[in-house]
Amino acid sequence: DVKVTQSSRYLVKRTGEKVFLECVQDMDHENMFWYRQDPGLGLRLIYFSYDVKMKEKGDIPEGYSVSREKKERFSLILESASTNQTSMYLCASSLSLQSNQPQHFGDGTRLSIL
Amino acid sequence: AQKVTQAQTEISVVEKEDVTLDCVYETRDTTYYLFWYKQPPSGELVFLIRRNSFDEQNEISGRYSWNFQKSTSSFNFTITASQVVDSAVYFCALSDPTNQAGTALIFGKGTTLSVSS
């Protein structure tokens, strides 16, 4: 089975801090994704990556950056955390560039910015 | 523009009732894929099913069944004889081949299903 592991289930940080959310997948998947999930808004794509060192903006990239130095690891960075970034963050991976591939998700990180 | 609408925000049923979760999508593409995911209280989204736009056969897997109707752009999900363990948020999603990677999904806002005993 595919395993997508997010480093923290719960995280509390302060406004202005630089925050790193880590995600690792163990199935040699090409694509990795970061979403945020908010009540009433569903899942919104922040960034995705289709290869090492390659990244593309999703629907809501403002205030975020990403890093993919190794194929198995995709990091989401909040450069200067703000209270409106309090949310559930979900990482996902998928096998290839074909659009029929399902995405496999981690357990999520519930981030609170105080 | 691609869009997925799950009009039902919350549904509550009693165990053993059948329940249908609606999903309506919009796309300009002739080839696309539709997905259903389940998110239990633990938080992880679990992949349930994938359907391509050329396959309109209904699918049944145990108590779960899916009805894909291209004519009405709908991909509805029915749970027969619901159980408490079915309580979760269910998401319908559409593949978005217009982006560079071709694999990003567009999600509906989800339907929260509560099954009581």
Side-chain angles (χ1 to χ4, degrees):
Chain A
D1 278 353
V2 176
K3 185 66 177 175
V4 178
T5 303
Q6 294 184 231
S7 54
S8 304
R9 289 300 304 273
Y10 301 94
L11 206 53
V12 180
K13 296 291 182 181
R14 296 207 173 273
T15 303
E17 280 193 66
K18 190 169 186 176
V19 181
F20 293 86
L21 302 183
E22 305 289 345
C23 176
V24 176
Q25 50 94 3
D26 65 356
M27 286 302 292
D28 203 34
H29 281 180
E30 302 288 335
N31 305 314
M32 296 188 75
F33 308 82
W34 275 105
Y35 296 88
R36 64 176 282 177
Q37 181 181 6
D38 300 288
L41 297 178
L43 275 73
R44 293 180 292 168
L45 181 65
I46 305 171
Y47 267 97
F48 64 91
S49 168
Y50 52 91
D51 201 352
V52 175
K53 297 189 186 293
M54 305 302 290
K55 59 186 179 184
E56 291 291 331
K57 293 179 180 179
D59 299 320
I60 51 165
E62 295 78 19
Y64 303 94
S65 62
V66 290
S67 172
R68 193 159 181 208
E69 296 296 319
K70 294 184 179 180
K71 193 174 186 179
E72 67 271 19
R73 186 180 297 271
F74 192 36
S75 303
L76 179 69
I77 304 156
L78 285 66
E79 297 291 342
S80 178
S82 62
T83 54
N84 63 11
Q85 293 178 308
T86 292
S87 186
M88 168 75 99
Y89 289 87
L90 291 162
C91 176
S93 70
S94 67
L95 178 61
S96 71
L97 294 178
Q98 295 176 356
S99 62
N100 63 338
Q101 297 298 317
Q103 294 182 15
H104 300 269
F105 286 82
D107 288 343
T109 295
R110 193 168 291 282
L111 175 64
S112 296
I113 306 296
L114 304 179
Chain B
Q2 277 82 356
K3 184 179 177 182
V4 175
T5 301
Q6 294 179 254
Q8 305 149 307
T9 306
E10 296 182 11
I11 301 176
S12 295
V13 298
V14 179
E15 256 190 327
K16 298 185 183 177
E17 281 187 42
D18 298 346
V19 58
T20 295
L21 310 181
D22 297 332
C23 174
V24 174
Y25 62 92
E26 297 175 27
T27 181
R28 294 186 304 269
D29 302 301
T30 55
T31 301
Y32 52 88
Y33 293 84
L34 293 159
F35 302 79
W36 274 96
Y37 285 83
K38 172 182 179 180
Q39 185 180 38
S42 58
E44 177 186 359
L45 268 79
V46 177
F47 165 67
L48 295 178
I49 190 171
R50 169 187 57 211
R51 172 66 71 227
N52 75 54
S53 52
F54 295 105
D55 182 2
E56 291 196 62
Q57 283 189 335
N58 291 334
E59 179 149 345
I60 298 174
S61 175
R63 295 184 298 105
Y64 294 172
S65 62
W66 289 269
N67 183 351
F68 175 37
Q69 293 199 348
K70 208 168 179 178
S71 60
T72 57
S73 297
S74 65
F75 185 41
N76 296 336
F77 173 29
T78 297
I79 302 174
T80 303
S82 60
Q83 300 176 2
V84 173
V85 293
D86 295 326
S87 296
V89 183
Y90 291 86
F91 291 96
C92 180
L94 169 69
S95 63
D96 179 10
T98 61
N99 70 59
Q100 184 168 346
T103 61
L105 294 178
I106 299 166
F107 285 85
K109 294 182 179 179
T111 297
T112 300
L113 173 65
S114 299
V115 182
S116 57
S117 57

